[in-house]
Amino acid sequence: MEVTDKLVDNLAHLARLQFNDQEKAEIKKDLQKMIAFVDKLNELDTSNVSPLLHMSDNVNMLRKDEVKGSVERNEALSNAPEKTDKYFKVPKVINNPQ
Amino acid sequence: MSVNYDKYEAVIGLEVHAQLLTQSKLFCGDSAAFVNEPNTHISPITMAHPGTLPKLNDKAIEYAIKLGLACNCEIEKINYFARKNYFYPDLPKGYQVSQHTTPICKGGYVTIKTENGEKKVQLNRIHMEEDAGKSIHDQDEHYTYVDLNRAGVPLCEIVTEPDLSSGDEAYAYLTELRRLVRWIEVCDGNMEEGSMRCDANVSIRLKGETRLGTKVEVKNLNSIRNVKRAIDHEIKRMIEEVENGGTIIQQTRSFDANNGTTFALRTKEEANDYRYFADPDLTPFHISDEWLKQIQSTIPELYESKVKRYTTELQLTEYDAKVIADERETADYFDALVQQTKNYKAAANWMIGPVKSYLNENNTSITELSLTPSSLAEIIALIDKGKINFSVASSKLFPALIKQPDVTASALATQLNLVQTSDSNEVASWVEEVLNKMPDKVAEYRKGKKGLIGLFVGEVKKLSKGKADPKLTNDLLLEKLNA
């Protein structure tokens, strides 16, 4: 699989990252190496092996439906870079509020 | 311009999000209850602080399976959650945890009845996922405000196949689905408050065509009626578009309830790349046969089955059966009532008549009713034995018993002097008095105006305040008049 500029741009967009041309060239090279490494694994026939979805064998780690563990709003908002006394504030994400 | 609408048929699929009635959120212990005060039901897990670990709520699984079983779905035994990755400020983790790719319930159907008869609306699946928070865009010129109370609240998404063909069918389906989720107590079904939300996928095609047309997704449907209105409007709009030489473009539209029309929100350029993968923070969960059986045992007799039982075993009319079964609490009361009387028709009439009127007039519910099913059964028995007539029972004894639920019906009827008398001397004296009062009418009757008997019976009834046994009254009147 070939890593193109378009692929790098698309991945950068999905991750909300921005790169200059020099960075992009380096990332292209790195990504190409990573894909080559994974391609190596593709040489193995894994058609009869079910995918490993979880690293541990634990199943059904469930909790009871109980209300607990909430924090005070002041405390919750204290780590937010921007806030009011009640809300988290983020740069406006739509242009035409209805 | 004349448009031939009949050339086309509509194909509709619905996606319903139902908020599960758990106490806490899907993956942490924050309250899942609706609250106006923003950011008060949140924790480090809800806010996606680094190092936090989600843990799955066992009740949410139970409710999802309960819904699946009630919808005749196949239940998946081996389950896991996946991450659906996208950025939005009200999604703190940068991904939504969802079973989108591996639903816990597959297939199944919901039975609806419309003018065209009965239909099993086929489901594609039911899966669990977490809700997002709420973004508020109109409070500040430069900022969006975020409230995370709702983030992480458990939802079931119920997805139909493209199996509906009109706004009426969509209306019937949503009515049945809402009744069902309330009936089995997994969701409160409140569309106005958003605990049940619906998106409609609508397309049209020429009749006989088997391929699906380009679909439009309609959002912002906050009542069952508005779902029907939006679909009806959309079908008409699309047919007119095509008939005028246009083409349908795949887009998301919003319904404007004020004028009953839809407008474009956004056009889908290319499919989003959500990069689903199994969430490594959550262990898989397996459903044992034993657990499944235990959940099955929590499902009460459903609406459909009650209606069928009332019409066959109890011989009620379909109309009566449906009115009584409409709400589970009423049906449960009725079931207790018919355990204690064999006069099913009378029991149904009491439920639909005096009981329902009383509840409506007093703006209360059957669960609040102080009168027990056995007291009501006793009233029915008194009527059947001729001790009291229906109109006196419903207008006097019934309200009195509601006020004094601890007294037996027969004791109260005696105390209030409501018991009909079959003492012939007493009835004879009322008959005498009535006939003496209206000599003209008696003369008319004797000349052949036999219909006047009704008037005399009515007068005796009035004079005796309903206590005169009607049959005895009739007999004594005829005896006197024909003497």
Side-chain angles (χ1 to χ4, degrees), chain A residues 13-16, chain B residues 85-91 93-95 275:
Chain A
H13 170 71
L14 287 171
R16 299 294 186 274
Chain B
N85 297 280
Y86 67 94
F87 285 113
Y88 206 71
D90 56 25
L91 189 74
K93 296 189 292 293
Y95 56 83
R275 294 149 291 148

Side-chain angles (χ1 to χ4, degrees), chain B residues 38-244:
Chain B
N39 292 310
T40 49
H41 291 172
I42 62 175
S43 62
I45 295 178
T46 294
M47 291 183 284
H49 281 204
T52 54
L53 264 187
K55 206 171 178 190
L56 179 55
N57 185 337
D58 61 359
K59 243 338 179 235
I61 303 175
E62 259 181 62
Y63 287 172
I65 293 177
K66 197 172 174 184
L67 180 57
L69 290 172
C71 292
N72 317 287
C73 300
E74 182 197 331
I75 308 299
E76 176 62 53
K77 296 281 177 67
I78 311 285
N79 295 277
Y80 66 91
F81 278 95
R83 294 181 179 180
K84 175 183 182 178
N85 297 280
Y86 67 94
F87 285 113
Y88 206 71
D90 56 25
L91 189 74
K93 296 189 292 293
Y95 56 83
Q96 180 195 28
V97 180
S98 163
Q99 290 190 304
H100 186 268
T101 41
T102 51
I104 188 162
C105 311
K106 290 181 282 194
Y109 58 86
V110 172
T111 308
I112 61 167
K113 261 188 191 168
T114 63
E115 284 175 356
N116 303 324
E118 200 173 278
K119 175 169 175 173
K120 289 184 163 67
V121 177
Q122 299 300 314
L123 300 184
N124 175 286
R125 65 194 143 97
I126 300 174
H127 73 256
M128 283 184 279
E129 63 185 32
E130 58 176 348
D131 206 349
K134 190 166 132 196
S135 297
I136 300 152
H137 304 292
D138 58 1
Q139 296 288 303
D140 189 300
E141 200 184 336
H142 304 292
Y143 288 93
T144 292
Y145 287 8
V146 180
D147 171 12
L148 296 179
N149 281 344
R150 218 177 56 192
V153 162
L155 305 176
C156 259
E157 183 172 338
I158 304 132
V159 184
T160 71
E161 295 292 350
D163 196 29
L164 298 156
S165 57
S166 67
D168 284 332
E169 282 193 357
Y171 188 95
Y173 166 75
L174 288 172
T175 305
E176 285 311 319
L177 185 63
R178 182 170 61 178
R179 185 203 319 281
L180 180 66
V181 297
R182 285 178 171 167
W183 195 281
I184 62 173
E185 297 172 305
V186 297
C187 171
D188 69 20
N190 191 328
M191 289 190 75
E192 288 72 21
E193 283 177 13
S195 47
M196 189 168 137
R197 312 194 280 268
C198 177
D199 300 334
N201 290 306
V202 185
S203 65
I204 56 159
R205 63 185 173 193
L206 284 170
K207 282 181 182 162
E209 173 64 62
T210 50
R211 284 173 305 176
L212 291 170
T214 304
K215 73 175 180 187
V216 162
E217 183 175 9
V218 190
K219 290 182 173 293
N220 193 22
L221 305 169
N222 65 353
S223 72
I224 294 182
R225 193 172 146 262
N226 282 345
V227 174
K228 174 181 149 50
R229 288 172 71 204
I231 289 172
D232 288 344
H233 172 269
E234 200 51 30
I235 293 170
K236 188 164 169 286
R237 183 191 71 82
M238 289 165 104
I239 291 174
E240 285 166 4
E241 180 76 35
V242 171
E243 283 284 288
N244 289 326

